[in-house]
Amino acid sequence: MSAEDRHRLAVAAADKEAAAFELDHAELNLQEAIVVALEHGEDPEVIAEVVDLEPEKVLELKGSVDQPPLPSLEDLTSVAPDTALPGSVSDAS
């Protein structure tokens, strides 16, 4: 295989991966916006119409509003700030 063909294939594969990442990111942003609108008391059917989804999909996300949120990395590190994580480098003197 020529270097030019190999480069063209690698660039195309990287472009596809980047597009998939952007699509996943957009999906997460949409889900977050839906959850926030639900938390604000918006009607799931109106949300579904605005975002062009089936009402059932919005109602699935409504169930996640009732569940406690997962802890963030900041929440986890603030619990024990002086504790080093396994495998991390500590400031030993």
Side-chain angles (χ1 to χ4, degrees):
M1 177 180 297
S2 72
E4 183 179 338
D5 286 345
R6 183 180 299 273
H7 178 72
R8 182 176 292 132
L9 289 167
V11 168
D15 286 348
K16 182 180 177 187
E17 186 175 336
F21 173 82
E22 290 298 325
L23 183 59
D24 289 345
H25 183 72
E27 179 70 25
L28 288 173
N29 283 340
L30 177 59
Q31 288 177 0
E32 181 180 3
I34 290 170
V35 167
V36 168
L38 290 168
E39 287 174 342
H40 292 159
E42 299 298 335
D43 183 356
E45 289 187 16
V46 173
I47 294 170
E49 184 178 329
V50 170
V51 299
D52 195 28
L53 284 176
E54 294 296 322
E56 294 78 21
K57 179 68 176 171
V58 173
L59 291 174
E60 286 176 19
L61 292 172
K62 186 173 180 4
S64 68
V65 172
D66 299 329
Q67 298 174 4
L70 294 174
S72 68
L73 181 57
E74 184 177 304
D75 294 337
L76 295 175
T77 56
S78 67
V79 172
D82 296 330
T83 305
L85 297 173
S88 66
V89 177
S90 64
D91 294 330
S93 300

